[in-house]
Amino acid sequence: MSRLCLILFGAPGSGKGTQAKLLKQMLSLPHISTGDMLRERVARKDALGLEVEGILQAGGLVPDETVNRLVSDRIEQPDSVKGFILDGYPRTVRQAEILVALLRALAVTTVVVHLEVDYNVVIARLAGRRQCPACGALYSLSPNAPTVSEVCDYDGATLVVRDDDREEVVTERLKAYDRQTAPVLEYFRRMQTPHFALDGAQPGGPQVIARKIQDYLKTNFGDYLITGNPGNRTSR
Ligand code: ADP
Ligand code: AMP
């Protein structure tokens, strides 16, 4: 069976991480988030973490070579042998060019799923985003609130606010998305990469969106999938 690369594409706060956590259970594919990988390195305070910390805090983009290397190393891991879900990568046309060349060389079939969400919605979502520091579960103040305020449903850890979800940093991240990331869609169009755009703020919330992505993949890429039910957990 060939490998499938599912690229979750969209602005910060469009729901990429939430969808990745739901879909990885249904597709039995690993969730590869460059943002998570970079935050882990920052927390570990290793050389790379120290190098990128200021960039993440300011809402800018880490150099292409750094994230390209992280992703190419990660997809060599044994759990990526059937395919993988990319969240937050590629974020520049240069990253996309490197990725497309790499996936071609590896004969990986690629599909882009674009979560379309208005900026006023993502700004409100990011202001209310909470995450479990232990299991990675994502919450919001509403509609995806934890049962007990500020406490993870799965392990009872106190939820945290991401450093870069402060309003002034969100503005910078959205500027970076506009200038550097949005043009990646046009690149994929030129490359004729299969593309599925859907409303990332539709009624029914994350579960309904995950089902629509599941249906699209089943119809168009069924041969690549070990199908199951979409998960209901937004934790790791
Ligand atoms: P991204 O990974 O694209 O930055 P997240 O998945 O972290 O986005 O989602 C951002 C915030 O929006 C989180 O607080 C999450 O719980 C919430 N969220 C995600 N998807 C939806 C949705 N379909 N409807 C409402 N809120 C959502
Ligand atoms: P995310 O968790 O995807 O919102 O990413 C958080 C931050 O990590 C971004 O604001 C960037 O500073 C950095 N980052 C994540 N992915 C990339 C990428 N593909 N290219 C450059 N910087 C990235």
Side-chain angles (χ1 to χ4, degrees), residues 25-36:
Q25 297 170 52
M26 167 234 157
L27 304 174
S28 300
L29 296 178
H31 168 201
I32 299 178
S33 156
T34 42
D36 285 348

Side-chain angles (χ1 to χ4, degrees), residues 130-152:
R130 299 289 184 274
Q131 189 159 24
C132 174
C135 75
L138 286 162
Y139 298 94
S140 53
L141 297 182
S142 77
N144 189 23
T147 313
V148 178
S149 172
E150 307 293 341
V151 175
C152 181

